[in-house]
Amino acid sequence: MFRRLALLTALAALSACGSVVPQGSAPQQRAVRQSTQAFTPSPEAQACYSGLGLTRANFTPLPDQYFGAGCSAVSAVRLSALRSDDATLGVSNLDAVACPLAQTFAAWARFGVDRAARQILGSPLVRIETMGSYSCRTVAGRERMSAHATANAIDVSAFVLGDGRRISVSEHWNAGSPEERLFLTTIHASACKRFGTVLGPAYNAAHRDHLHVEPGSGRFCR
């Protein structure tokens, strides 16, 4: 449901996938204070909010934030819940998420994850657990900024089902039952059809415990 515009209080630098860039300088603090003033979303952002509202996700639009060091959150939202075909889906540990990414994530949760859970594991999805979204950091082992630094990436760690089972990437990607492993590889493959970049345990050790998803026009799936 589309909520009233709210003010962003802070963006947490969540640890995963890379090195956190130090923040807190005087110019950055001024930028944060200035960004808490009332804002008017761009036409593109408003259109995206409308599209996201059609998915029946619960979200709060956030004012644009520029933190310096190449870090920002523009046309972003805070997701509090998603929707499956017939129920509300919880989502944990998300801060700012760029609206286009939120739209794709909502569609993947409904059509990719929930339906795979029902078909393969015999139980609906009730919650997606994440390791975060926005974080001002570089790509692990590199100097270039991560997509997380612009709120354009989400790290997904686990899925909780209606029967109480919790399927995690770290525990079940390699050591789960045949059905659990099939579920994870199936939703990984479905993510690759929707997102520009999808990285999982098969990519490198830094992604051994989560699926990293980010938008893009290309297709990089590992």
Side-chain angles (χ1 to χ4, degrees), residues 7-13 32 35-36 62 65 67 78 95-96 134:
L7 300 181
L8 179 64
T9 57
L11 291 172
V32 172
S35 67
T36 59
L62 302 174
Q65 294 256 11
F67 299 100
R78 182 177 290 113
D95 206 301
Y134 171 81

Side-chain angles (χ1 to χ4, degrees), residues 131-187:
M131 299 171 69
S133 49
Y134 171 81
S135 180
C136 187
R137 64 173 182 257
T138 59
V139 174
R142 301 182 184 180
E143 295 184 358
R144 70 178 179 87
M145 299 305 294
S146 167
H148 287 284
T150 54
N152 273 297
I154 297 174
D155 290 340
V156 181
S157 56
F159 308 87
V160 179
L161 307 183
D163 61 10
R165 280 179 290 173
R166 179 179 181 273
I167 312 300
S168 73
V169 177
S170 61
E171 295 180 19
H172 300 100
W173 184 270
N174 292 313
S177 68
E179 292 78 13
E180 291 165 342
R181 286 184 280 117
L182 176 60
F183 166 72
L184 290 174
T185 56
T186 297
I187 63 172

